[in-house]
Amino acid sequence: MPHAVFLDMDDTLLDSSGGAEESWKLACATFAPHLGIAPEQLRLAIRKAAQEFWKDEAVSGHWRVKLKESRVMFVENALREEKLNVDLAKPLATLYDEQVTARYRLFDDAIETLEWLRSTGKRLGLLTNGPQDMQREKIARFELEQYFDFVVIEGE
């Protein structure tokens, strides 16, 4: 039997990507009229730019701890590709960030599972990638630190 259990946070304990598509749709619908483009066309352009941005492993290693900044960059790339006003990239990416953050939810059995693991006497560690501020905010918001003996965040 193991003496310790290591858990990831995003999409293991916390549904942090389940609201992503809805958040992008809302952000694109909000900004598309100002940009003179159909919301779905804008969403597809951003998706394509994001895929292109993240396919380079050297890029992902650096930008994974600067997610908000990276979003602005690939939204700028999408707007530039569509010959649209790149000045709206930051507010569009910011609206997405606000929307997706509001949609974060603990999975239904997350706390019950953590409590059960603690009751077995095992040490628990939270290992998560991403920016320090973003990950610490999630940990505080969902009061997760109390369940772990240690927390390791990539951005720290």
Side-chain angles (χ1 to χ4, degrees):
M1 292 299 293
H3 299 289
V5 176
F6 300 89
L7 296 164
D8 183 36
M9 180 170 53
D10 292 308
D11 296 318
T12 301
L13 299 171
L14 181 67
D15 181 0
S16 58
S17 63
E21 191 59 33
E22 189 176 335
S23 298
W24 277 120
K25 283 181 181 179
L26 187 140
C28 289
T30 301
F31 280 86
H34 305 289
L35 290 163
I37 189 172
E40 185 57 24
Q41 184 181 350
L42 178 58
R43 177 64 190 115
L44 291 174
I46 291 171
R47 181 178 291 135
K48 180 181 174 187
Q51 289 170 342
E52 188 67 28
F53 184 85
W54 290 113
K55 77 177 185 180
D56 183 346
E57 289 185 30
V59 166
S60 66
H62 173 77
W63 289 102
R64 205 173 49 219
V65 295
K66 298 177 180 182
L67 289 177
K68 291 180 181 183
E69 295 90 340
S70 70
R71 283 191 194 106
V72 172
M73 287 181 62
F74 66 70
V75 171
E76 282 178 353
N77 293 344
L79 296 180
R80 194 172 292 111
E81 182 69 25
E82 295 293 317
K83 298 178 180 25
L84 300 171
N85 182 358
V86 296
D87 293 339
L88 294 179
K90 187 171 183 175
L92 193 158
T94 299
L95 178 58
Y96 166 80
D97 287 335
E98 291 166 356
Q99 290 297 311
V100 78
T101 299
R103 288 175 170 81
Y104 292 160
R105 301 283 180 264
L106 283 171
F107 286 113
D108 291 341
D109 60 351
I111 298 302
E112 180 183 335
T113 300
L114 291 171
E115 289 173 345
W116 177 80
L117 286 168
R118 294 294 289 175
S119 75
T120 68
K122 293 182 182 18
R123 297 191 70 196
L124 297 181
L126 181 65
L127 303 173
T128 186
N129 60 335
Q132 174 188 9
D133 58 341
M134 184 180 290
Q135 299 306 71
R136 285 287 171 190
E137 187 278 326
K138 292 176 199 173
I139 292 166
R141 177 175 164 189
F142 295 101
E143 301 177 348
L144 293 174
E145 193 154 13
Q146 64 184 313
Y147 298 100
F148 294 96
D149 296 295
F150 57 91
V151 173
V152 178
I153 299 172
E154 176 187 30
E156 292 181 342

